[in-house]
């Protein structure tokens, strides 16, 4: 915790639990990092005012070979969602309507040094809506972006506000309204080639109302099928498996995916076996069928602590997962576990917020220790003193 007040740190930890490399980023509050498929670049949030949330933050790319850092040229507010689409491609989509006018701008694409690419996805934002609160925003609101590197096709998920349905002339739209999820398709040049609504019982994930849409980037599977999170009949979280060739939609019996994409061609998904415990399962797919399934334990014991797994990286039938447990004085602790598919072994205890970035070419895990943001620094200092 004392170290976190100085900045962030990237640890490389072997399967035996030895820290083989540690790189410090003094004065930087980095979080939510992801490794590019080729292992060279790390994309992460750099928090300014938040405690790790997606708002009030910028994005940064770090070249792990040279140490150079590249910052997003655009300061974007709202629930921004930058994701790695391929080895040299970053996509951006906003998952909220708080800054509705921003939705009219084309979706931006960057290379891994945050240089804007000469391509933009011009999305149809639909009609301009005005709520009874006086706020206005677009009828169609982007929630995510996905990319198929083989066909060079972009997929944009969005939510269509249904508050206009049945509206009488002169009436205002209501703040609390329902949505319907759609997917817009673009070719490699950014030209729209298709646009489909999913069956009407599936809406875009949102928190309580359509004003607060949750980022929902589609995962593109190796065979080209898509996986997206949805809400069925505005009640039940579910996963959808979608074939963009013919638009067949299959419902999966899982609540959501972890938003981080594939890990060695397997997709981490969540289901709740008990109300308080999400169970993480790795799924493999082929032609719309589940072909592999690896379940993590709901909880795992290590000494006197019980940990709940929440993030996993998997490679060559083995991997690592991070799990959260309860430390002293109600402060959370994090455990890094090595997992061979059957047995979980505690590798390292981490007393501060962190995330599993990926697995390097040597089979070691890479873990980013968050720096303490201004909002967290006072809490950490008081805990250390007391």
């Amino acid at each position: 915790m004392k170290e976190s007040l100085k900045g962030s740190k990237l640890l490389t930890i072997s399967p035996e639990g030895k820290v083989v490399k540690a790189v410090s980023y003094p004065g930087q509050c980095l979080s939510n990092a992801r490794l590019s498929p080729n292992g060279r670049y790390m994309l992460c949030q750099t928090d300014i005012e938040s405690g790790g949330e997606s708002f009030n933050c910028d994005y940064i790319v770090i070249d792990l070979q040279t140490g150079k850092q590249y910052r997003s040229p655009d300061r974007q507010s709202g629930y921004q969602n930058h994701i790695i689409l391929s080895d040299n491609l970053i996509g951006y989509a906003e998952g909220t309507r708080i800054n509705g006018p921003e939705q009219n701008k084309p979706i931006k694409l960057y290379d891994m040094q945050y240089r804007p690419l000469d391509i933009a996805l011009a999305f149809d934002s639909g009609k301009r809506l005005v709520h009874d609160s006086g706020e206005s925003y677009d009828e169609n609101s982007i929630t995510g972006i996905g990319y198929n590197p083989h066909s060079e096709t972009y997929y944009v998920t969005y939510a269509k506000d249904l508050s206009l349905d049945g509206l009488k002339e002169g009436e205002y739209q209501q703040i609390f309204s329902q949505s319907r999820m759609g997917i817009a398709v673009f070719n490699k040049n950014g030209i729209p080639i298709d646009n489909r609504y999913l069956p009407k019982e599936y809406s875009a994930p949102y928190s309580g109302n359509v004003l607060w849409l949750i980022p929902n980037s589609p995962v593109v599977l190796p065979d080209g099928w898509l996986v997206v999170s949805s809400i069925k009949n505005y009640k039940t979280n579910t996963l959808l498996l979608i074939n963009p060739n013919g638009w067949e939609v299959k419902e999966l019996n899982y609540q959501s995916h972890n938003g981080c994409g594939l890990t060695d061609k397997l997709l981490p998904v969540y289901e709740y076996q008990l109300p308080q415990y999400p169970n993480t399962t790795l799924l493999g797919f082929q032609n719309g069928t589940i072909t592999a399934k690896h379940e993590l334990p709901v909880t795992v014991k290590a000494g006197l602590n019980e940990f709940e797994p929440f993030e996993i990286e998997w490679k060559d039938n083995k991997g690592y997962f991070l799990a959260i447990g309860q430390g002293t004085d109600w402060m959370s602790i994090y455990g890094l576990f090595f997992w061979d598919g059957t047995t979980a072994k505690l590798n390292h205890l981490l007393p501060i917020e962190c995330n599993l970035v990926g697995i390097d070419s040597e089979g070691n895990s890479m873990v980013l220790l968050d720096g303490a943001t201004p909002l967290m620094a006072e809490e950490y200092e008081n805990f250390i003193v007391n």
Side-chain angles (χ1 to χ4, degrees):
M1 285 185 173
K2 290 180 181 179
E3 289 296 316
S4 73
L5 296 175
K6 301 175 184 178
S8 302
K9 183 175 288 188
L10 180 65
L11 301 180
T12 302
I13 303 174
S14 71
E16 295 75 33
K18 180 182 178 181
V19 177
V20 297
K21 187 177 181 180
V23 181
S24 296
Y25 301 99
Q28 291 186 270
C29 302
L30 307 178
S31 64
N32 296 324
R34 301 301 303 166
L35 196 65
S36 63
N38 61 12
R40 175 167 179 173
Y41 296 100
M42 182 173 71
L43 170 69
C44 48
Q45 292 176 357
T46 172
D47 299 316
I48 298 173
E49 302 167 4
S50 67
E53 296 90 349
S54 300
F55 54 86
N56 293 329
C57 70
D58 283 335
Y59 277 76
I60 193 170
V61 167
I62 299 175
D63 187 330
L64 298 179
Q65 290 184 9
T66 66
K68 290 184 178 179
Q69 299 187 8
Y70 307 95
R71 189 175 297 272
S72 170
D74 302 299
R75 170 75 172 156
Q76 296 159 337
S77 59
Y79 282 91
Q80 54 188 339
N81 186 27
H82 291 220
I83 62 172
I84 296 174
L85 298 175
S86 70
D87 273 329
N88 199 35
L89 181 62
I90 297 173
Y92 159 77
E94 190 174 23
T96 184
R97 293 190 168 196
I98 296 306
N99 293 304
E102 297 297 320
Q103 294 285 342
N104 288 314
K105 296 182 179 180
I107 301 170
K108 298 175 182 177
L109 300 169
Y110 313 90
D111 68 13
M112 288 304 294
Q113 295 183 6
Y114 260 124
R115 293 173 294 205
L117 299 179
D118 188 22
I119 179 176
L121 311 182
F123 177 74
D124 181 5
S125 299
K127 300 176 182 179
R128 194 70 184 163
L129 306 183
V130 180
H131 276 309
D132 51 9
S133 65
E135 292 183 276
S136 64
Y137 61 88
D138 298 326
E139 177 185 22
N140 298 324
S141 187
I142 296 167
T143 58
I145 183 172
Y147 178 66
N148 186 329
H150 303 294
S151 63
E152 297 182 294
T153 305
Y154 299 92
Y155 299 96
V156 173
T157 55
Y158 65 95
K160 175 182 172 61
D161 191 308
L162 298 181
S163 63
L164 282 178
D165 292 355
L167 192 69
K168 297 180 181 178
E169 185 177 354
E171 288 184 343
Y172 285 103
Q173 290 80 27
Q174 298 300 310
I175 291 179
F176 296 95
S177 56
Q178 299 173 341
S179 70
R180 185 174 180 182
M181 185 157 55
I183 300 178
V185 187
F186 301 82
N187 68 12
K188 64 179 181 180
N189 298 315
I191 298 173
I193 56 176
D194 207 346
N195 193 345
R196 299 293 181 103
Y197 289 120
L198 299 188
K200 62 182 180 180
E201 63 265 31
Y202 300 116
S203 64
Y206 61 93
S207 303
N209 64 76
V210 80
L211 289 178
W212 289 93
L213 295 162
I214 297 174
N216 183 32
S217 292
V219 175
V220 181
L221 299 175
D223 60 7
W225 285 61
L226 311 177
V227 178
V228 297
S229 297
S230 73
I231 297 180
K232 184 178 181 180
N233 297 323
Y234 309 105
K235 295 179 180 179
T236 307
N237 293 328
T238 188
L239 277 180
L240 300 180
L241 184 61
I242 303 166
N243 183 2
N245 297 319
W247 294 99
E248 178 184 2
V249 178
K250 295 184 177 181
E251 188 175 323
L252 299 175
N253 190 28
Y254 297 92
Q255 274 69 36
S256 63
H257 62 79
N258 71 352
C260 295
L262 300 173
T263 173
D264 202 19
K265 299 183 180 180
L266 299 174
L267 178 66
V269 300
Y270 297 140
E271 63 179 334
Y272 282 83
Q273 294 185 346
L274 299 173
Q276 68 272 36
Y277 290 132
N279 186 40
T280 302
T281 302
L282 287 171
L283 298 180
F285 298 90
Q286 185 63 41
N287 295 326
T289 302
I290 296 175
T291 57
K293 185 176 180 180
H294 305 276
E295 291 189 6
L296 269 71
V298 176
T299 60
V300 60
K301 284 267 191 181
L304 299 177
N305 289 95
E306 186 176 78
F307 293 85
E308 300 172 27
F310 67 91
E311 189 175 14
I312 183 169
E313 285 290 334
W314 182 258
K315 189 175 183 179
D316 299 329
N317 294 318
K318 57 188 176 183
Y320 302 83
F321 65 79
L322 274 176
I324 189 169
Q326 192 67 58
T328 58
D329 295 327
W330 300 103
M331 292 291 288
S332 297
I333 58 174
Y334 297 82
L336 175 67
F337 290 81
F338 180 75
W339 188 52
D340 61 8
T342 304
T343 305
K345 176 186 175 183
L346 179 64
N347 262 22
H348 221 79
L349 284 177
L350 304 161
I352 61 173
E353 298 261 347
C354 56
N355 84 277
L356 189 54
V357 181
I359 299 176
D360 69 9
S361 59
E362 305 298 321
N364 303 311
S365 64
M366 302 177 70
V367 179
L368 179 69
L369 307 184
D370 296 1
T373 66
L375 291 176
M376 299 162 58
E378 183 177 353
E379 178 185 355
Y380 278 20
E381 287 174 340
N382 289 338
F383 181 78
I384 292 171
V385 170
N386 294 331

